[in-house]
Amino acid sequence: MKIKKVECLAVHPGWRKNLIFVRVETDDGIVGWGEAYSQYDRDRAIVAQVEALGQYLVGRQARNIRHFLQIAFDDYAQRRSSLEYWCALSGIEQALWDIAGKAVEQPVYNLLGGTCREKIRVYANGWSYKMQQPADFARAAEQVVRSGFTAIKFDPLPRPWRTYIPKEHIRHAVKVVSAVRSAVGDDVDLLLDIHRRLAPAHAITLSNALAEFDPYWFEEPCQVENLDALAEVRAASPIPVVSGEAMYGRADFRRLFRERAVDIINPDISNCGGILEMLFIAAAAESEMVAVSPHNYNSTTLSLSATVHAAACMPNFIITEYFLPYEEFGSVVTNNPLLPVNGYIDLPKGPGLGLDVNEKVVRSRPSKRYPARTFRMSEDDQPLPL
């Protein structure tokens, strides 16, 4: 069973960024699907990486996943990491596992040693996009909880994202979290995303100010490139600290664990290296008594399914991400989407990743070319020249 064709299909889901699907076909007609992580303005570079890397997969045995991953790093990347490389590798790797499962008519999780759980807890994200006022956050949070979610994630800080912030930004965040907690009650988990933006002093002040609302976690308070800063926050924070979505491969996470910088990691299956790499990272975390909550700012289809299969096999998994604005697209592009019920997703039972992808719909939703954005030093400043 050899690889015949590798194709990258960038699609627009109808909200925010483009999504990047990877289609891999074997010489006996099996088609595997995967998904690479994407960002504004970088999606074309990631597509180029998928196409460049994919040509080295053609003619190889589809089942030799670990071998391809190693030569991709050693010979193609020449042991140099980048976001674009890891995204491309992740999408291709997922598609290979989809093929492996379909070839033997088994779900991927059965090929990985079997499951630790029969359903996967998810938290809702994307519901508070561009909201500013505490009352707006509160009303939207109530609606999400009424739909069945028991955990919700949001960023309480006002824009723009900057390292050093005034005290009024801290006060604003407190008002937002207070309003949401009052709206949803004490039994709903509140996950706070800080998006890597703060200096340690501000992050610690913010964490202490928000602790009274009993948040589930404090995500990415500082840039992960400065592990000393992140560890400083973790040591002082009364809220569990999360990081890892901007790290790629198990070697990156080794540094994170050695510094004792986090309580929970959130690697993304579509940019950390794929399903197998995610499990290697999770196993390393388990030995350090660190929990795993996979990041998933991707579709509610391929990336989510790959995450669910990996999470089913992790003893230290706790919860994963579900982006509500992509739900409608997921229900169109697959005939059997993964839909949460009361905050959980049941494991898919079909072979491979378990999704029936509607290829015609995928090809009918081409990606968008986004216009150049306006960047400002602050909300009151004039736009910076491009």
Side-chain angles (χ1 to χ4, degrees), residues 196 217-225 227 230 240-247 253 256-257 261-267 290-291 293 295:
R196 305 176 293 282
W217 76 36
F218 194 58
E219 181 178 333
E220 294 208 301
C222 307
Q223 290 177 300
V224 76
E225 289 83 359
L227 291 180
L230 189 61
V241 170
V242 182
S243 193
E245 71 178 75
M247 305 186 87
F253 284 87
L256 194 65
F257 301 144
V262 291
D263 301 284
I264 304 163
I265 57 168
N266 65 334
V290 172
S293 173
H295 179 262

Side-chain angles (χ1 to χ4, degrees), residues 105-124:
E105 299 184 349
Q106 288 289 326
V108 168
Y109 52 73
N110 281 348
L111 308 184
L112 300 172
T115 64
C116 297
R117 57 190 57 81
E118 292 302 315
K119 58 183 181 178
I120 303 299
R121 192 182 184 204
V122 295
Y123 62 83

Side-chain angles (χ1 to χ4, degrees), residues 66 86 248-255 272 277 280-281:
R66 292 196 67 173
W86 284 106
Y248 318 115
R250 73 197 88 157
D252 264 4
F253 284 87
R254 179 172 178 266
R255 298 183 297 115
C272 78
E277 194 70 22
F280 288 149
I281 293 165

Side-chain angles (χ1 to χ4, degrees), residues 127 135-149 152 179-180 182-185:
W127 57 272
D136 295 330
F137 278 87
R139 284 192 295 270
E142 283 182 306
Q143 184 175 348
V144 174
V145 171
R146 279 198 299 269
S147 72
F149 286 94
I152 57 176
V180 172
S182 296
V184 303

